[in-house]
Amino acid sequence: MKVVRELEALNAHTVPPGVGAIVVGNFPLTSGDWIAAHSHTHHQLAWTRSGVLGVAVDDAYWVLPPTLALWVPAGVVHRTGATRDAVLSSLYIDPARCVLDWTEPTPVAVDGLLAHLIAHLNRDDLADDVRLRAEAVVPDLLRPLPSTPIDVPLPADDRVREVADALLADPADARGLEAHARAVGVSRRTLTRLFVQDTGMSFDRWRTRVRLRAALPLLAEGLPVSRVAHAVGYATPSAFLAAFRRTVGTSPGRYLHGDPPDEHP
């Protein structure tokens, strides 16, 4: 696939030089396409004008509708993909010429002005002085958001990993801990201990995070909460919303728009 080859070339080498500090890259991605783990010599702002992107850094996973972008610092290993057909529009920013000092992946809000500026910088007919003036505005428009990724630590023990893989493949799997323990040939008590030991959280808490993470791309695509709740294993929308608010501290809509958490989750 051409876009994969282009991205692999970009990932393996330095970002092509530009007149200023920012180079724009656009890469069409089909739903389900994922680029293997890689890093860049430049800071990256990953965004899509339409569709939904996913970016994974270790166990952390961000869902990016057009209202959100993710700042990925230079050198941070990550995977990027599309949960719905999208065009990855990336700003690659030279660290030596960047005024921002963000060292961690950071979500930012994308409003109309920033979206237009990204499109403006994508033009190849800008005079050098015009491009440099436009680039100077970008840092002022990058507003860090409090939204955090929904971490889903992957277990190392083969028996726990088998249970984890089953739930990742089907978040709506309704089997309880007892049934999963029988399926992998251990006692309920052993599986309980191993889940906490490997993931740092209980089976129920880990499964909730799997379900919420699976729900975010569906919600970002505009599916009704009722359909999404059922698709990831909740009997009612209210049960899903309660679990989301309890885990994340806000509603799915506010989360996907990068709004601050509720004061009283």
Side-chain angles (χ1 to χ4, degrees), residues 19-20 25 41 49 61 64 68 82 85 110 142 154-155 158 178 182 190 193 196 198 222 258:
V19 172
T41 57
R49 188 175 298 276
Y61 182 85
L64 306 175
L68 293 177
D85 290 1
V110 178
L142 300 185
L154 294 179
D158 289 342
E178 186 77 42
R182 287 197 302 270
T190 296
R193 175 178 57 80
V196 174
D198 271 20

Side-chain angles (χ1 to χ4, degrees), residues 93-226:
I93 306 173
D94 183 354
R97 304 169 68 180
C98 181
V99 298
L100 299 177
D101 59 357
W102 301 348
T103 59
E104 299 292 334
T106 304
V108 300
V110 178
D111 58 14
L113 180 55
L114 180 56
H116 284 301
L117 185 56
I118 293 173
H120 183 65
L121 288 172
N122 189 46
R123 293 173 52 180
D124 57 10
D125 60 347
L126 294 179
D128 290 354
D129 59 333
V130 174
R131 172 172 290 278
L132 292 174
R133 286 197 298 271
E135 287 187 6
V137 179
V138 171
D140 293 335
L141 300 182
L142 300 185
R143 177 172 58 89
L145 297 173
S147 298
T148 56
I150 297 176
D151 295 348
V152 181
L154 294 179
D157 185 280
D158 289 342
R159 296 161 295 182
V160 187
R161 187 59 181 262
E162 185 176 341
V163 175
D165 287 345
L167 290 169
L168 288 167
D170 180 15
D173 187 337
R175 289 179 294 168
L177 186 62
E178 186 77 42
H180 281 290
R182 287 197 302 270
V184 297
V186 298
S187 68
R188 175 190 177 98
R189 181 176 180 180
T190 296
L191 186 59
T192 298
R193 175 178 57 80
L194 289 173
F195 242 103
V196 174
Q197 175 181 298
D198 271 20
T199 69
M201 60 188 73
S202 69
F203 168 82
D204 286 337
R205 185 180 171 202
W206 189 89
R207 180 169 63 179
T208 295
R209 286 174 174 249
V210 168
R211 288 177 167 179
L212 299 185
R213 194 176 78 173
L216 282 173
L218 303 177
L219 292 167
E221 291 170 13
L223 293 181
V225 171
S226 56

Side-chain angles (χ1 to χ4, degrees), residues 11 35-39 77-80:
N11 298 335
I35 308 305
H38 62 279
S39 63
V77 177
H78 59 285
R79 295 185 300 115
T80 305

